Amino acid sequence: RLGRELRLFVTDPLAGAGLPLWLPDGAVIRAELERLAAEEAIRGGCQRVYTPVLAKRALFELSGHWAKFADDMFPPMRVGSEEFVLRPANCPHHALIYASEQRSFRDLPVRLSELGSMFRSELSGVLGGLSRVRQINLDDTHVFCAPWQVQDEIVRGVEAVRRCYRLLGIDVARYRLSRRGSG
């Protein structure tokens, strides 16, 4: 409601539900937040990358995203004999970048960061404002590291989040971390 009242964004049935259109004032705020995110990522030792918003379905099958998230993904698009899908996450793309060259353990950790568009096939009944949308732009970092570096990288990541919240004047009382399979 506030975003509409302040004329930051609008939605239009012709664009589709869950696909906000950023108005000039909203675009200024968004651009400043994106700039801050990029600066903080570089400050944190990340290398910025760009990847396509779609990929072959086979990439998401290999990564496990298809098995886990297919119901939340847009259906495949046929291009010739191949199937492409809009990405729900950029993890597989970053894994391809990491794997694109041979690396030594001395090169680790490698931190890849991207502000990229992700697409989720949300049902129209759950869409609302900017909290539940069909396209999000996410500043996402993937860290490739050795097992003995994991703890330091987790601490580094949490500190980066806390620093950004402080810069934005957001007070967070607690953080919750989880591991795969731990709920």
Side-chain angles (χ1 to χ4, degrees):
R1 188 186 66 132
L2 192 56
R4 287 181 182 87
E5 288 176 9
L6 294 174
R7 299 193 38 79
L8 302 178
F9 69 92
V10 296
T11 55
D12 190 289
L14 284 174
L19 299 167
L21 304 168
W22 289 90
L23 299 174
D25 288 346
V28 168
I29 294 168
R30 179 176 163 168
E32 287 300 308
L33 289 171
E34 289 174 355
R35 183 185 57 76
L36 174 65
E39 288 172 357
E40 286 299 309
I42 291 167
R43 180 176 180 235
C46 295
Q47 300 172 75
R48 296 298 279 187
V49 296
Y50 294 96
T51 60
V53 297
L54 65 141
K56 290 183 181 180
R57 175 180 165 168
L59 175 63
F60 295 102
E61 289 173 339
L62 179 63
S63 71
H65 285 80
W66 187 260
K68 190 165 184 170
F69 301 113
D71 291 343
D72 299 320
M73 293 173 67
F74 281 97
M77 297 173 268
R78 269 215 174 276
V79 180
S81 63
E82 299 177 312
E83 286 188 330
F84 289 83
V85 294
L86 290 168
R87 67 178 175 197
N90 58 20
C91 320
H93 292 83
H94 288 192
L96 290 177
I97 289 174
Y98 176 77
S100 69
E101 63 182 84
Q102 190 170 357
R103 299 176 194 273
S104 162
F105 72 93
R106 291 178 189 88
D107 299 326
L108 300 176
V110 172
R111 301 177 194 98
L112 303 177
S113 182
E114 175 178 13
L115 179 67
S117 297
M118 315 294 167
F119 302 88
R120 310 282 166 82
S121 182
E122 299 281 1
L123 298 175
S124 60
V126 300
L127 297 171
L130 295 180
S131 60
R132 291 296 292 263
V133 293
R134 291 187 170 137
Q135 178 193 339
I136 60 172
N137 283 36
L138 180 66
D139 186 42
D140 201 7
T141 297
H142 292 89
V143 178
F144 300 88
C145 64
W148 64 85
Q149 296 171 317
V150 170
Q151 184 173 339
D152 288 344
E153 291 302 312
I154 291 170
V155 169
R156 176 189 279 271
V158 172
E159 287 174 353
V161 169
R162 293 179 70 199
R163 184 174 57 252
C164 287
Y165 280 149
R166 275 193 310 274
L167 286 170
L168 295 171
I170 299 171
D171 185 34
V172 178
R174 69 178 218 162
Y175 296 86
R176 179 178 173 222
L177 301 178
S178 61
R179 298 181 316 182
R180 181 184 316 181
S182 67

